[in-house]
Amino acid sequence: MKSRKRELKGLLFLLPSLIGAGIFWMIPFGDVVRRSFFSAVSGTFTGWKNYATVIENQAFRLAAGNTLRFFAVCIPILVVLSLLIAVLLTKRKKGMQLLKSMFLLPMAIPVASVVILWKVLFHDQGLLNHLLSFISIRGTDWMNTDASFGVLVFSYIWRNLGYDIVLWAAGLGAIPGALYDAARVDGAGEWKCFFCITLPNLLPAMFTIVVLSLLNGFKVFREAYLVAGDYPQNSMYLLQHLFNNWYRDLALDKMAAAAVMTAVLILGLILILQKLWDRN
């Protein structure tokens, strides 16, 4: 009886959030799913035609390919690099808070300032090309070549590195120090402690960090859009550019179908990651 009362109290506390999520997220997404099966012009039922049109669309293929490539490159680099830095900062007790704050500074910089920084560094007459000229290397217009993809990757890692470091540091702080002491008494070295103690205990934090890094990756569109506009160089043309252009052209049926496909893909990826983590 007491357990049921506790469950009821918990549900009552969750009810406002569930109502808000239903009104502002689930119901609108349900309408998006509905629109994906209807024509935006005539309102007639078209079945899977919108999905077939989207899959055959060259712009969608380019945007989806670039987005997948972006995440395939960025997420592993960000997760591994932030973990290594967090481990080093945890071992260095002195000045740890100051160093973590320094890594978090890029997140506090407004997007407009980041865009100005992009232009100062990577413009055809920018600072990077000016520095390269001193060592007799010919510069290039970084934002109008395939190198723009590297700029996009660099910007994402630079802005999100500190956030992931703080999350890793929280996970490292929750590991009991007695485990390391016992392992060292048995003759375990630093690498063995890392692989046998640190990594297994960080698996729950790793799942959260990977998912948050995946979701934060979609925010890089703001900088890319402000720098290059609606139609940037092909290597940095992302799904968000496609959605923005289709919304401007009122192609709501194609946009709805593409949004449903993207949401299903992201949800499926998160569920796969969760199953992999649960097994471990």
Side-chain angles (χ1 to χ4, degrees), residues 85 89 95-109 158-159 161-163 165-166 169:
I85 295 176
L89 288 179
M96 179 180 172
Q97 294 300 326
L98 178 61
L99 290 171
K100 283 197 296 185
S101 300
M102 290 176 61
F103 279 110
L104 282 172
L105 278 177
M107 294 193 68
I109 300 176
W158 174 67
R159 280 184 67 85
L161 185 62
Y163 182 65
I165 288 173
V166 171

Side-chain angles (χ1 to χ4, degrees), residues 103-236:
F103 279 110
L104 282 172
L105 278 177
M107 294 193 68
I109 300 176
V111 175
S113 300
V114 175
V115 171
I116 294 174
L117 180 63
W118 276 35
K119 292 181 178 179
V120 169
L121 288 176
F122 303 112
H123 191 266
D124 189 23
Q125 302 295 326
L127 180 61
L128 181 57
N129 284 341
H130 183 67
L131 294 175
L132 290 175
S133 65
F134 283 110
I135 53 178
S136 301
I137 296 178
R138 187 177 180 180
T140 182
D141 189 1
W142 300 95
M143 300 309 300
N144 290 312
T145 63
D146 290 339
S148 59
F149 181 79
V151 175
L152 201 67
V153 171
F154 171 78
S155 176
Y156 168 76
I157 293 174
W158 174 67
R159 280 184 67 85
N160 292 277
L161 185 62
Y163 182 65
D164 282 12
I165 288 173
V166 171
L167 294 177
W168 281 124
L172 289 167
I175 301 175
L179 293 177
Y180 294 101
D181 295 336
R184 291 189 181 98
V185 169
D186 292 338
E190 291 296 327
W191 285 106
K192 196 163 187 179
C193 288
F194 178 77
F195 285 106
C196 296
I197 298 176
T198 304
L199 281 183
N201 283 279
L202 285 178
L203 285 178
M206 187 181 295
F207 173 75
T208 303
I209 291 169
V210 170
V211 172
L212 290 176
S213 299
L214 178 68
L215 298 178
N216 286 333
F218 288 98
K219 297 179 182 178
V220 79
F221 166 72
R222 298 173 300 180
E223 291 93 328
Y225 179 78
L226 291 174
V227 169
D230 294 327
Y231 297 97
Q233 205 276 337
N234 283 347
S235 63
M236 60 184 296

Side-chain angles (χ1 to χ4, degrees), residues 6 11 27 38 46-47 58 69 120 138 146 162 194 198 238 259:
R6 288 180 180 177
L11 288 174
I27 294 177
F38 288 84
T46 58
Q58 293 297 325
R69 182 163 66 108
V120 169
R138 187 177 180 180
D146 290 339
F194 178 77
T198 304
L238 304 175

